[in-house]
Structure formats: structure tokens, C-alpha cells
Amino acid sequence: NFGTIYGFLTGMMALGTIAGPLFAGWIFDISSGYHVAWIIFSCIAFVAMIIITTTPPSRLIVSKEGMGG
């Protein structure tokens, strides 16, 4: 269901939008710079890229009701 998937993705993006700046600010307070935060965010993005590129696509199941017939 597209709505379920889209809602889940939007929720995950909202968590990142909330947590990202807080985490970066905390790292800045500890290390007086954003260098460590950039490295951590880059590692997270790299891991996400690996997961996305190696996960096989799911099979699409189309019912006759969904095709209008």
C-alpha cells in the first residue's frame, strides 16, 4: 500500500530532521567543530546506500480487482 509506505518514510525523515541538528550541535559542543558530525553522517549515508543497492526489489503482486476488472 503506497500510503503505508509513504507514511513510514515520512516518519523516518521526520526523525532524521529532528535528531540530525541536535546531534550535530551536541558534537559541536564536545569537539568545537562539525568535522566528527560530518564523518558520522557520511558513514550513515554510506551504510544506507549499501543497504538500498543490495536489497532485492520485492515482487509486485497485482490482483484483478486492482486492474479494474
Side-chain angles (χ1 to χ4, degrees):
N1 187 340
F2 178 75
T4 303
I5 295 169
Y6 191 72
F8 178 76
L9 290 176
T10 302
M12 292 294 108
M13 287 187 291
L15 288 176
T17 301
I18 293 168
L22 295 173
F23 179 73
W26 179 66
I27 293 294
F28 181 83
D29 290 341
I30 292 173
S31 65
S32 298
Y34 291 108
H35 183 74
V36 175
W38 277 108
I39 291 172
I40 292 171
F41 290 145
S42 298
C43 290
I44 292 170
F46 182 74
V47 169
M49 181 185 66
I50 297 298
I51 291 170
I52 289 169
T53 57
T54 59
T55 302
S58 62
R59 293 183 359 176
L60 179 63
I61 299 173
V62 179
S63 65
K64 290 187 178 185
E65 294 92 23
M67 297 296 289

